Amino acid sequence: MTGAIELKVFIPIMVLVLLVACSGRNELPIERSSTIAYIEEKGYKVLSYEGRSSSYELTKEKLIGLPYMMYWGLMPVDPADYIGKTVNVEKFIVMNHPLAKGKVDVYVYEVNSVPIGGTSFPHGDKSDGGYWSLEGKTLEELQPKSFQDWREEWVNKYSE
């Protein structure tokens, strides 16, 4: 009889342990597969999917204010193509990124579930400064002009 009681206790405990082990943020959801492929094409190893960081409608007003101006300035797309559309920002933790030897937070921007660009940030860094492209480059590295000239041109373009 003691064996039957132990089995009745053991089985539910094992089921609970398996459920806990299989759940959580580290699972890479199937619906994120195109975004994961997008990240891996860059040579990064995806460690985990951390969930949706934000979701918003892109407007001209957002584009001329911080931090959106910086985020969109770092991406290889024309933001004008996405004005009025819903942008979902998905967060992943990756390795093999040029920004840091360890883990890097990668934010992939999607419109209609299609990745269009992204930004990155050293994982665990609590500083307020610094914006980097998905490839780990700064705005100054990506733009052929000074930040002041770029900013003035950007604001004029999206203020109209």
Side-chain angles (χ1 to χ4, degrees):
M1 189 76 166
T2 309
I5 293 173
E6 288 175 11
L7 198 54
K8 285 182 181 179
V9 172
F10 178 74
I11 290 175
I13 289 174
M14 285 308 296
V15 168
L16 182 62
V17 167
L18 286 172
L19 285 173
V20 170
C22 292
S23 67
R25 297 179 126 181
N26 290 335
E27 267 186 43
L28 298 174
I30 292 170
E31 67 270 11
R32 299 264 62 89
S33 62
S34 66
T35 303
I36 291 168
Y38 178 76
I39 295 167
E40 289 176 342
E41 286 171 6
K42 308 260 182 222
Y44 313 144
K45 179 181 183 338
V46 176
L47 300 178
S48 65
Y49 170 62
E50 300 294 300
R52 181 157 294 156
S53 173
S54 66
S55 183
Y56 59 89
E57 181 183 332
L58 186 61
T59 63
K60 286 183 175 186
E61 292 77 20
K62 280 194 184 331
L63 284 172
I64 61 172
L66 290 174
Y68 299 97
M69 175 193 307
M70 296 300 292
Y71 296 155
W72 284 88
L74 291 166
M75 291 192 277
V77 295
D78 183 356
D81 295 339
Y82 303 100
I83 292 173
K85 296 188 178 176
T86 299
V87 178
N88 294 318
V89 183
E90 307 294 340
K91 181 181 178 185
F92 295 83
I93 297 178
V94 304
M95 293 285 289
N96 299 338
H97 193 282
L99 193 55
K101 290 183 182 185
K103 297 176 182 176
V104 172
D105 295 342
V106 164
Y107 298 88
V108 178
Y109 290 61
E110 297 177 345
V111 174
N112 298 324
S113 299
V114 175
I116 60 167
T119 59
S120 57
F121 198 77
H123 182 71
D125 189 339
K126 302 296 183 211
S127 67
D128 290 331
Y131 298 94
W132 294 273
S133 70
L134 192 58
E135 294 76 21
K137 296 187 183 285
T138 64
L139 188 67
E140 290 80 8
E141 291 174 299
L142 296 171
Q143 301 298 329
K145 53 189 89 167
S146 72
F147 175 75
Q148 290 77 12
D149 290 343
W150 173 84
R151 183 182 179 282
E152 183 178 336
E153 225 174 80
W154 183 275
V155 170
N156 287 338
K157 179 178 181 178
Y158 295 108
S159 292
E160 299 171 350

